[in-house]
Amino acid sequence: MTRNVDKDKKDIMITPGEGVGILTAHSIGEPGTQMTMRTFHLPGVVEAVPTGLPRLIEIVDAKKKPKKPVVMIYLKEKYKDMKKVEEIAEKIDEVLLKDVAKFSEDFRKRQILIRIDKDEIRQLKIDLIGIKKKIKAELGPNIKMKHKGEKVLLITKDMPLRMLRKFTNKMKNLHIKGVKGINKPVVTKDENGEWLIVAGGSNLTDLFKFEDVDPSRSTTNDIMEIYNLFGIEAARNAIVNEMYTTMKIQKVNVDIRHICLLADAMTVEGEVVSVGRHGLSGRKPSVLARAAFEETVKHLVNAAINGEEDRLRGVTENILIGQPVPLGTGLVKLTMKHETK
Amino acid sequence: MAKVRKRKISNFENAPIVHYLIPKHEILSEEEEKKILEKYNVTKEQLPRIKIDDPAIRHMNPKKGDIIKIYREDKHAKSIYYRVVV
């Protein structure tokens, strides 16, 4: 019995010198072509978060910001009541001045009239005086403020029109309430039946300032943010999780070890590196390998100028010059002990 | 005369950050380092890297050239990974 298990284990283990990178590339690439056909546009579904191939490309390219960042906020206390969770969600939701007020500019008098919607404020439980204080704090030295009830009048002293428009836009995006960048929070249940808040935008640093938010379980789909907040290992795990779930949604079964290898390759340098010309392939030590990939002339010219050396240790270089590649049996070198008698 | 540049000190600076995505990190002692390098027949430069100001190890005050042992827990298996502080 144990012998059988041992034999099976040996069969499963990969042989030394196997080209695992190529296997990974093929195993992820082939189902990737299938995904394109199935998922670029889904009929009747509003495409909120990129899924399928676009999302995979986003992860692999190590984009600074995903197209649609999404945060999953877990709470410290496991509420059974949905209402309490909704209350917190309301607290988090960002409200800008333009959401609660109407703007009209008078270009002749150089004035801006802000009409605050009373019903809207009451619904969001915002204090009218608080808003006015926030507006006042934003005013420059040349702007005066008059207010009466829900009307606020900003009088400027001969401000150029362009500046006036700029100032109105600034006032429109005045932050009033909630967490910066967080919008449309939705309360949902996860697989384990726990309430959580899913919201657009990504701003974990500010969210963690809330007492109800559990900083050890809340996450985002923004891998760069995770890298900045939690470090390289967390980023690697995030890459694995994101890729695995996107492929799972598409019902594409790629072995998780392939994804792990890709994520490891993206994070060896201690920072998240994209796969491609500017990242992994562009940082290879071998000149010939880089030149064989993209921007051939650039790499060759730079190598000539800087007097770079190529030790011909990689696969690409050896294919290029027609030598056996250091893979599989080609990896083994034979040295003979020279004995003199 | 040279001014020492101060890094922004956040609230988490000296406490380990707890998050389910961060596996356990550990600095190896010199003897353990030797053992590992011998076992895998590599030099430090060949190991994967980790930045010295990485949030996951910042609280441990690592030095350049330290080896960090990481206890990974993937979906399919538990494994141990090593990174060199750069």
Side-chain angles (χ1 to χ4, degrees):
Chain A
M1 167 69 176
T2 34
R3 215 177 292 149
N4 274 339
V5 173
D6 270 359
K7 194 182 166 280
D8 279 355
K9 198 182 156 195
K10 259 192 182 163
D11 283 348
I12 290 167
M13 278 213 296
I14 212 144
T15 36
E18 183 73 59
V20 282
I22 296 173
L23 278 178
T24 292
H26 284 180
S27 307
I28 296 176
E30 195 275 335
T33 57
Q34 309 255 320
M35 282 206 302
T36 331
M37 284 177 255
R38 274 189 252 148
T39 61
F40 244 116
H41 296 286
L42 300 170
V45 180
V46 183
E47 273 160 60
V49 184
T51 50
L53 198 65
R55 177 66 187 142
L56 284 190
I57 292 169
E58 212 172 76
I59 297 167
V60 163
D61 280 349
K63 286 258 165 71
K64 283 265 156 60
K65 275 271 156 214
K67 253 185 199 162
K68 279 273 162 76
V70 172
V71 279
M72 309 234 274
I73 303 156
Y74 279 92
L75 303 174
K76 266 184 192 152
E77 255 176 89
K78 286 179 183 170
Y79 290 109
K80 277 181 185 162
D81 195 7
M82 190 180 163
K83 261 188 190 163
K84 279 203 175 144
V85 186
E86 268 175 348
E87 260 171 41
I88 295 163
E90 208 172 77
K91 259 193 225 164
I92 287 166
D93 195 6
E94 187 186 27
V95 177
L96 300 174
L97 188 57
K98 67 179 171 190
D99 298 329
V100 292
K102 274 182 183 153
F103 285 76
S104 50
E105 294 151 295
D106 190 332
F107 287 118
R108 205 150 55 90
K109 289 182 188 162
R110 311 277 156 97
Q111 289 174 344
I112 308 165
L113 181 68
I114 304 170
R115 227 184 273 254
I116 297 160
D117 195 332
K118 263 191 174 170
D119 297 331
E120 198 86 32
I121 297 179
R122 203 175 303 135
Q123 237 175 25
L124 293 166
K125 290 170 196 142
I126 310 172
D127 189 19
L128 187 64
I129 302 161
I131 294 179
K132 281 178 185 168
K133 265 186 193 160
K134 278 206 169 142
I135 294 173
K136 201 161 192 180
E138 282 298 305
L139 297 181
N142 293 328
I143 305 158
K144 277 176 191 163
M145 184 173 119
K146 274 183 188 173
H147 56 89
K148 196 180 176 189
E150 71 267 18
K151 278 182 198 170
V152 177
L153 189 66
L154 302 177
I155 307 159
T156 64
K157 247 188 211 164
D158 296 327
M159 198 187 245
L161 291 183
R162 195 180 290 246
M163 293 287 288
L164 191 75
R165 177 45 69 81
K166 234 186 179 174
F167 186 69
T168 337
N169 284 334
K170 196 180 150 199
M171 293 311 286
K172 274 183 183 170
N173 290 321
L174 184 66
H175 176 85
I176 300 240
K177 197 190 135 207
V179 180
K180 251 184 201 164
I182 300 296
N183 53 57
K184 290 176 197 154
V186 179
V187 177
T188 43
K189 250 183 190 177
D190 69 351
E191 311 94 82
N192 303 326
E194 196 187 328
W195 291 109
L196 76 153
I197 304 166
V198 178
S202 195
N203 189 349
L204 282 182
T205 345
D206 283 354
L207 275 171
F208 287 167
K209 286 173 190 158
F210 275 82
E211 263 184 23
D212 303 305
V213 175
D214 187 346
S216 70
R217 291 188 299 152
S218 304
T219 40
T220 155
N221 68 350
D222 187 347
I223 283 152
M224 287 320 258
E225 192 180 1
I226 288 180
Y227 168 61
N228 289 329
L229 269 178
F230 304 129
I232 190 72
E233 275 296 313
R236 185 206 91 107
N237 285 337
I239 292 172
V240 173
N241 286 349
E242 283 289 319
M243 288 193 80
Y244 189 70
T245 39
T246 32
M247 296 215 248
K248 209 175 173 189
I249 291 168
Q250 302 296 321
K251 286 172 190 148
V252 172
N253 286 317
V254 175
D255 194 292
I256 195 161
R257 278 166 288 183
H258 292 310
I259 306 169
C260 284
L261 183 67
L262 178 64
D264 280 346
M266 283 174 73
T267 53
V268 265
E269 292 286 328
E271 58 186 353
V272 183
V273 162
S274 68
V275 180
R277 192 174 6 175
H278 304 292
L280 267 180
S281 305
R283 291 188 192 186
K284 281 179 186 167
S286 160
V287 191
L288 291 177
R290 268 180 282 133
F293 177 57
E294 269 171 21
E295 297 177 308
T296 313
V297 179
K298 182 185 131 191
H299 285 301
L300 290 181
V301 167
N302 279 341
I305 292 170
N306 299 323
E308 273 181 59
E309 206 176 59
D310 200 321
R311 309 291 317 185
L312 300 179
R313 289 213 175 104
V315 177
T316 325
E317 303 95 284
N318 283 301
I319 291 175
L320 206 69
I321 57 170
Q323 272 185 1
V325 291
L327 270 182
T329 46
L331 195 63
V332 190
K333 276 176 198 145
L334 193 65
T335 42
M336 269 218 268
K337 248 187 195 168
H338 192 73
E339 273 178 61
T340 43
K341 269 184 186 174
Chain B
M1 285 293 278
K3 265 188 187 172
V4 180
R5 214 187 275 164
K6 263 189 186 173
R7 242 193 305 123
K8 262 190 192 170
I9 295 168
S10 72
N11 292 336
F12 321 101
E13 188 80 3
N14 288 314
I17 307 169
V18 184
H19 195 271
Y20 80 98
L21 285 173
I22 308 178
K24 193 181 154 201
H25 291 60
E26 196 182 83
I27 297 179
L28 287 189
S29 67
E30 246 167 69
E31 292 153 39
E32 286 170 311
E33 272 181 22
K34 250 188 198 168
K35 251 188 209 168
I36 293 307
L37 294 179
E38 214 161 88
K39 184 183 169 192
Y40 292 103
N41 190 21
V42 287
T43 57
K44 274 186 182 175
E45 290 81 54
Q46 288 172 311
L47 284 177
R49 275 149 231 184
I50 187 165
K51 290 254 159 93
I52 197 162
D53 56 353
D54 194 278
I57 57 164
R58 214 158 36 190
H59 62 278
M60 297 193 284
N61 289 324
K63 289 190 299 292
K64 268 188 189 177
D66 280 350
I67 296 181
I68 306 284
K69 189 180 188 183
I70 296 154
Y71 297 83
R72 281 186 176 171
E73 279 177 41
D74 285 330
K75 268 178 196 151
H76 61 286
K78 281 182 188 174
S79 57
I80 286 167
Y81 203 71
Y82 298 96
R83 287 191 126 102
V84 155
V85 178
V86 287

